[in-house]
Amino acid sequence: MVEASGNGSVAIGRDANNASITTNINQILPEPKAALTGEKNNVPDGGSENFVGREDTLEALHDQLSSADAVVITAINGMGGIGKTELAKQYAGAYAADYLDGVCWLQVRNAEVASQIVSFAGAYLDLKIPEGLELAAQVAYCWSHWPGNGRVLVVYDDVPEYEKVKGWLPPESGRFQVLMTTRQQQLARKVKPFQIEVLSEGDALELLRQIVGGERTDAEVETAKAICEWVGYLPLGLELLGCYLEENPECSYGRLYQRLEEKRVTTRALRDIYDGMTAERGVIDAFELSWESLSEKAQATACWLSLFALAQIPWTVAESTTAESEREALEYARGELVARSLLQRAAPGIFQLHQLVREYFLVKLAQREDTDELKQTYCKLMVSLARQIPGIPTQVLLLRMTPLLPHISEAATHWQDWLSNENNELAWPSVAMGRFYDGQGAYAQAEPWYERCVAAARSRFGEDHLYVADSLGNLASLYRKQGRYTEAEPLYKDALSLRQKLQGENDPAMADSLSGLAILYDRQGRYAEAEPLYKDALSLSRQLQGEDHPDVAISLDNLAGFYVRQRRYAEAESLCRDALSLRQKRLGEDHPTMADTLNNLALLHEKQGRYTEAEPLYKDALSIKQKLLGKDHPDVAVSLNNLALLYDRQGRYAEAESLYQDALSIDKKSLGMAHPEVANSLNNLASLYQSQGRYAEAEPLCRDALSLRQKLLGKDHPAVASSLNNLAGLYEKQGRYAEAESLYRDALSLRQKRLGKDHPDVAVSLNNLASLYQSQGRYAEAEPLYRDALSLKQKRLGKDHPDVAISFNNLASLYESQQLYAKAELLYLEAIQIAVPRLGQKHPNTQAFGHNYIGCITAALKAGLQDQLSDNPATQQFLASLKSQKSP
């Protein structure tokens, strides 16, 4: 694709206005060869042979020129180098047969238009103009005496402004068609625009193939594509680079791309002009023509805009550093840039620079005396925007901030050296980028930004600085969320140590460091180490921030959640309610952290068997997260899992399965397969399938969860014990007793070692191993395990907990298996008396306990051992109903 010397957009128009101007009519055109042959066409020698991607454009241009109306056509993307002149040349050649009475090509920018018209008429049309006429009259005579009756195409190339051609247009008749090229977006009202775009990637690549060669281009096709993108698919830039490679066969695409990255738009490959090109200027010179016509204010505005990223620029942001009284002048300057096709209006209030135009403006920026001042102003603006992204950004805020991200990123990368040392401005653009992705659960995309923070802080301030501690804490938290616990721990410790060294115990941010390390230990099952850190963080927040500060609610929530997981319900409940009250008072009902408090309180109720109280709290927490964070956020998956677990416990299996599957899908999508939360979701879904007897579906999920946990958390983690226990339960249901026993024993040993012998999870392992022994008829081994599990649950959960009812039922089942019906009967009744008020009569567990109780009495009757049964009113009523043959 090539470009002639004026590089104008294409236009058609007519104006009968004449002016009285005299000049030397022989000063413009050389002696025309066509005068000897009878041709009526002075289009400059040939268009480019490398004309790609404009075939449909040529046809559309012809349709517009051939319409009944007299029109003027301009290129809406009329920047230098886009191929306006080349398009006009190609059009004149392709449709020459439609203009048998002449194609008159007129240079406009630095030439006398009227003289060229008169000269063309004499040289190409053999028109004899009467002597003594002034120039304006000569031009008028040419139009009115143009030989023939056919159509004529008049091309005005590179029109800087409409006034320069207005007096020299042909009369308004269907005979003359006028085509203009111009950099102006709109020359005049009667000038109808014709829009041409930069090339597509495919056409740009094909242009390089035609110039450089297909084999050479295809050998480095990805780099060639990168070069096309680098020049913004601008035809002039592509042709210059293509010709450079053609003349330098030892230069690879890779080396050229490296030079572009190093020298940018000033590289020689974009400056030189080569034989056979329509263009008479390199990129810099092509843009220089437009630059010279700009006012000083417009030039300054161009340099300011070059600081922004190569992305759409909201004008409200661009003008925000300008005083209100000066914004009208700024808008006028913007208008100059748009009018000369140096700035594109992408949408109302949204503007964008082309890649090479921006590179050109950056060259001009570097030549200004106030370059550093402009860069510092830009950085301060981006810092002010970056600070608007909180630690837990809502979906609405993320959507609003999305258009600003490229420009904040530009401050964090290209203009980092101009970020101030004050108020941690150096870190804020990178922190904002990290939070943007972190807040969406896109942890892999957040990581390089947090790493950049650490590196920048260390480079500028050294190792012993609070900003380094902040950056380490952010990166550690991200690693923790990714399940990378061994990488997170030293960062947390370094951040904590730095704060203690630099600030002592009076730094409010110390509580964050303590909490972060506590959460990490909690996730690793290092509970004895986690608890004092949780307590210290709460105490420090209260001491330094006051009882009503939102940070206190965070510490309350963290400690409450820890106590819930430890089954220390009485301690947890008061903390949950304090956190809820504080957040309602200070943050309102729709704050993202409110979901954490609601979730902890719901989990507490669930663990206490208070399911009807837990459900609305789980639902409220889920609703808040979906509304504020979006439906695909990892935190939403946590809430889905929590609600599914509740439904699972209530026997609402269809509802639970759907939620489990949704949670697993979100976790895989947002966290990747190698994450502890994915293992949790796999484990939960497997447990549901197992309870429904869907063993073939459950086993691979159990195995995957176990493998993930061992790999990510270590073989001694309590979560590994859960997976061992679940897989053992699956084997037991399938009659694979030897495999089950080994896994049950491993799980019990691991839990006793990591959690202590009085932990409720130990009771679960005792119960499961006892159940296995019972199924094998190993009653003597099973009984002490059942009793220990029952005693432990009563001690830790309370005597009316649904899990205690399960232990009563299990021990009763053991006695029934040994025909000890009296013992079994009383224990079944204990289970029923707990289950009815806590679970309801329709709960599967309640119904199972009742069925077992009736089965026990029936078995005793069949064995003739009814005398063993107790005098319990329920039992006696049931026996009486049997005697009277009434339904119980």
Side-chain angles (χ1 to χ4, degrees):
M1 187 64 63
V2 288
E3 191 72 52
S5 62
N7 298 338
S9 269
V10 193
I12 292 185
R14 302 177 182 82
D15 196 313
N17 184 33
N18 293 316
S20 178
I21 300 176
T22 59
T23 188
N24 181 359
I25 63 174
N26 297 315
Q27 67 183 10
I28 301 300
L29 295 180
E31 183 68 23
K33 298 178 182 179
L36 304 176
T37 64
E39 293 182 10
K40 302 176 182 179
N41 185 326
N42 71 333
V43 177
D45 285 343
S48 172
E49 295 180 358
N50 305 307
F51 186 72
V52 175
R54 300 291 201 205
E55 292 78 9
D56 292 343
T57 306
L58 279 178
E59 186 176 345
L61 175 59
H62 185 60
D63 290 342
Q64 186 160 312
L65 280 166
S66 302
S67 63
D69 298 331
V71 294
V72 179
I73 302 174
T74 63
I76 200 168
N77 288 336
M79 57 181 289
I82 201 168
K84 302 174 295 294
T85 297
E86 177 62 25
L87 183 67
K89 280 189 176 185
Q90 293 288 343
Y91 176 78
Y95 291 94
D98 286 17
Y99 303 103
L100 294 178
D101 278 349
V103 178
C104 177
W105 188 281
L106 306 170
Q107 303 287 356
V108 178
R109 180 176 293 273
N110 296 314
E112 187 65 67
V113 177
S115 300
Q116 293 180 72
I117 296 170
V118 173
S119 179
F120 179 89
Y124 288 84
L125 305 178
D126 198 25
L127 190 64
K128 306 299 183 182
I129 301 174
E131 296 182 3
L133 297 178
E134 293 186 350
L135 185 58
Q138 293 179 43
V139 171
Y141 184 89
C142 292
W143 297 137
S144 61
H145 292 81
W146 201 281
N149 297 309
R151 298 177 70 198
V152 178
L153 176 65
V154 185
V155 180
Y156 296 80
D157 184 38
D158 194 13
V159 179
E161 56 188 17
Y162 185 64
E163 291 300 320
K164 189 160 186 182
V165 298
K166 181 180 178 181
W168 313 116
L169 295 174
E172 296 186 9
S173 69
R175 186 181 185 195
F176 292 99
Q177 299 295 328
V178 178
L179 181 64
M180 295 182 184
T181 65
T182 180
R183 299 179 184 219
Q184 298 289 343
Q185 286 289 309
Q186 185 64 62
L187 284 171
R189 288 186 178 180
K190 66 189 309 178
V191 176
K192 184 176 179 180
F194 181 83
Q195 181 175 351
I196 60 172
E197 305 285 354
V198 294
L199 298 178
S200 67
E201 182 187 82
D203 289 335
L205 200 60
E206 180 59 28
L207 178 56
L208 287 180
R209 282 195 180 97
Q210 289 189 9
I211 300 173
V212 183
E215 183 177 348
R216 188 175 169 192
T217 301
D218 291 341
E220 295 183 84
V221 68
E222 293 305 320
T223 307
K225 289 179 180 178
I227 287 176
C228 291
E229 183 180 6
W230 201 98
V231 296
Y233 308 104
L234 187 71
L236 174 60
L238 290 164
E239 188 170 22
L240 288 171
L241 296 179
C243 290
Y244 178 85
L245 288 171
E246 183 186 27
E247 291 201 357
N248 295 275
E250 299 303 317
C251 180
S252 66
Y253 274 101
R255 182 175 295 179
L256 175 60
Y257 185 75
Q258 183 179 356
R259 288 173 181 171
L260 288 171
E261 287 288 283
E262 291 173 354
K263 297 184 178 181
R264 314 302 293 178
V265 77
T266 61
T267 186
R268 180 176 178 179
L270 289 172
R271 297 198 318 264
D272 293 346
I273 298 298
Y274 304 90
D275 291 340
M277 292 180 61
T278 300
E280 297 179 0
R281 301 177 180 86
V283 168
I284 290 285
D285 291 339
F287 294 154
E288 195 73 24
L289 289 175
S290 298
W291 178 265
E292 291 172 352
S293 67
L294 294 173
S295 67
E296 184 178 344
K297 181 66 174 178
Q299 291 178 350
T301 302
C303 292
W304 168 247
L305 293 176
S306 72
L307 291 165
F308 287 79
L310 190 65
Q312 293 186 348
I313 305 170
W315 189 252
T316 53
V317 175
E319 70 175 3
S320 61
T321 59
T322 303
E324 188 69 36
S325 59
E326 299 177 12
R327 289 188 180 179
E328 184 177 0
L330 184 65
E331 290 174 5
Y332 185 83
R334 180 191 71 194
E336 288 187 60
L337 297 174
V338 172
R340 289 162 177 77
S341 300
L342 294 172
L343 179 66
Q344 299 169 2
R345 182 176 181 269
I350 305 293
F351 296 84
Q352 186 165 3
L353 293 171
H354 183 273
Q355 164 85 352
L356 290 183
V357 172
R358 178 175 181 260
E359 292 291 339
Y360 172 75
F361 286 168
L362 285 170
V363 172
K364 293 298 183 181
L365 172 68
Q367 298 169 2
R368 294 179 63 90
E369 293 182 359
D370 60 350
T371 299
D372 288 341
E373 181 182 345
L374 286 172
K375 291 177 180 178
Q376 289 164 3
T377 301
Y378 178 83
C379 286
K380 287 187 178 298
L381 171 60
M382 292 305 125
V383 167
S384 70
L385 296 174
R387 289 180 185 274
Q388 296 179 34
I389 301 182
I392 307 177
T394 65
Q395 189 178 25
V396 172
L397 179 60
L398 290 174
L399 186 63
R400 184 169 65 84
M401 295 297 292
T402 296
L404 306 179
L405 261 290
H407 310 299
I408 295 175
S409 170
E410 198 73 7
T413 53
H414 290 94
W415 312 128
Q416 178 179 288
D417 290 344
W418 285 268
L419 287 164
S420 169
N421 291 345
E422 300 176 0
N423 301 317
N424 204 11
E425 287 190 8
L426 173 65
W428 266 109
S430 293
V431 168
M433 297 298 296
R435 285 180 172 181
F436 180 83
Y437 294 116
D438 191 349
Q440 300 175 75
Y443 302 133
Q445 291 168 277
E447 185 176 345
W449 293 106
Y450 287 141
E451 289 176 339
R452 173 180 282 276
C453 279
V454 174
R458 282 173 167 165
S459 174
R460 187 174 292 190
F461 303 114
E463 291 290 340
D464 292 343
H465 200 282
L466 285 176
Y467 294 166
V468 175
D470 291 338
S471 300
L472 289 171
N474 289 335
L475 185 57
S477 294
L478 182 72
Y479 285 163
R480 189 196 75 225
K481 292 174 185 176
Q482 292 175 294
R484 298 160 63 179
Y485 299 143
T486 55
E487 296 172 82
E489 183 174 358
L491 298 183
Y492 273 132
K493 285 183 173 180
D494 288 348
L496 184 61
S497 176
L498 260 180
R499 292 195 180 283
Q500 289 173 328
K501 176 181 178 181
L502 299 172
Q503 295 287 94
E505 299 297 330
N506 296 318
D507 183 2
M510 181 77 75
D512 294 335
S513 294
L514 291 167
S515 293
L517 191 56
I519 293 170
L520 177 68
Y521 288 157
D522 193 352
R523 298 288 188 273
Q524 292 177 294
R526 298 161 63 179
Y527 304 125
E529 296 171 85
E531 184 174 0
L533 295 177
Y534 278 133
K535 288 182 174 179
D536 288 347
L538 175 58
S539 175
L540 193 61
S541 292
R542 282 173 164 164
Q543 176 186 337
L544 299 180
Q545 308 276 44
E547 288 287 346
D548 288 342
H549 196 277
D551 286 356
V552 173
I554 294 174
S555 292
L556 288 168
D557 252 338
N558 289 338
L559 185 56
F562 174 76
Y563 284 154
V564 170
R565 290 185 292 275
Q566 294 294 303
R567 311 298 200 273
R568 296 162 63 176
Y569 301 131
E571 296 168 273
E573 185 159 3
S574 62
L575 296 175
C576 278
R577 295 199 179 280
D578 287 347
L580 181 62
S581 175
L582 200 162
R583 280 185 163 146
Q584 286 173 329
K585 177 182 177 181
R586 295 300 301 274
L587 303 175
E589 297 288 347
D590 280 345
H591 195 273
T593 58
M594 181 65 73
D596 298 330
T597 302
L598 292 171
N599 184 76
N600 282 342
L601 191 55
L603 181 62
L604 173 66
H605 290 336
E606 179 191 337
K607 295 296 184 182
Q608 293 174 305
R610 297 154 62 181
Y611 300 139
T612 56
E613 296 173 75
E615 183 175 355
L617 297 174
Y618 276 139
K619 285 184 173 180
D620 287 346
L622 174 61
S623 177
I624 289 173
K625 288 181 179 180
Q626 288 177 325
K627 176 182 177 182
L628 299 181
L629 304 179
K631 293 187 176 182
D632 290 334
H633 195 281
D635 284 356
V636 171
V638 173
S639 280
L640 289 169
N641 259 319
N642 291 338
L643 186 57
L645 279 166
L646 179 68
Y647 289 157
D648 195 348
R649 291 180 187 277
Q650 293 176 292
R652 299 160 63 177
Y653 299 130
E655 295 171 90
E657 181 175 357
S658 176
L659 296 178
Y660 280 143
Q661 289 176 336
D662 289 346
L664 178 59
S665 176
I666 292 172
D667 283 338
K668 286 180 176 180
K669 178 181 177 181
S670 60
L671 303 175
M673 282 301 299
H675 195 280
E677 286 299 330
V678 175
N680 292 341
S681 291
L682 289 168
N683 183 76
N684 292 341
L685 188 56
S687 179
L688 177 72
Y689 289 158
Q690 180 179 333
S691 66
Q692 295 177 293
R694 299 160 64 180
Y695 304 135
E697 296 172 83
E699 184 170 352
L701 299 180
C702 278
R703 287 188 171 279
D704 288 346
L706 174 61
S707 177
L708 261 181
R709 284 172 167 170
Q710 288 176 324
K711 177 182 177 181
L712 299 174
L713 305 176
K715 293 186 177 182
D716 286 342
H717 194 279
V720 172
S722 296
S723 282
L724 291 169
N725 185 77
N726 293 341
L727 187 56
L730 180 64
Y731 288 158
E732 181 185 354
K733 293 286 180 63
Q734 295 174 293
R736 299 158 65 178
Y737 298 130
E739 295 171 88
E741 181 176 356
S742 176
L743 293 176
Y744 275 141
R745 285 189 174 279
D746 289 346
L748 174 61
S749 176
L750 200 162
R751 282 172 167 165
Q752 287 175 327
K753 175 184 175 182
R754 296 303 303 272
L755 305 177
K757 292 187 177 182
D758 287 341
H759 195 279
D761 286 355
V762 172
V764 174
S765 284
L766 291 168
N767 181 83
N768 292 341
L769 187 56
S771 176
L772 177 68
Y773 289 158
Q774 179 184 343
S775 65
Q776 293 176 290
R778 299 160 64 180
Y779 303 133
E781 296 172 85
E783 183 175 356
L785 297 177
Y786 273 139
R787 286 191 173 278
D788 288 347
L790 174 60
S791 175
L792 203 161
K793 287 181 179 179
Q794 287 175 321
K795 177 181 177 181
R796 296 301 301 272
L797 304 179
K799 293 188 176 183
D800 60 349
H801 193 279
D803 285 357
V804 172
I806 292 173
S807 278
F808 275 126
N809 178 81
N810 293 343
L811 186 56
S813 174
L814 177 69
Y815 290 146
E816 184 183 348
S817 299
Q818 301 174 75
Q819 295 189 331
L820 301 173
Y821 298 118
K823 289 184 177 182
E825 169 215 351
L826 292 175
L827 293 175
Y828 281 136
L829 283 171
E830 290 278 5
I832 293 169
Q833 288 168 2
I834 293 173
V836 169
R838 300 307 294 271
L839 302 177
Q841 291 185 344
K842 294 183 178 181
H843 190 276
N845 284 0
T846 305
Q847 293 182 350
F849 300 156
H851 177 77
N852 292 342
Y853 166 69
I854 293 171
C856 175
I857 295 174
T858 303
L861 290 174
K862 288 181 179 180
L865 300 174
Q866 64 268 26
D867 292 343
Q868 290 187 13
L869 300 177
S870 71
D871 294 332
N872 185 283
T875 300
Q876 294 305 313
Q877 183 182 357
F878 179 70
L879 290 172
S881 69
L882 289 178
K883 289 179 181 178
S884 62
Q885 296 188 349
K886 293 181 179 179
S887 298

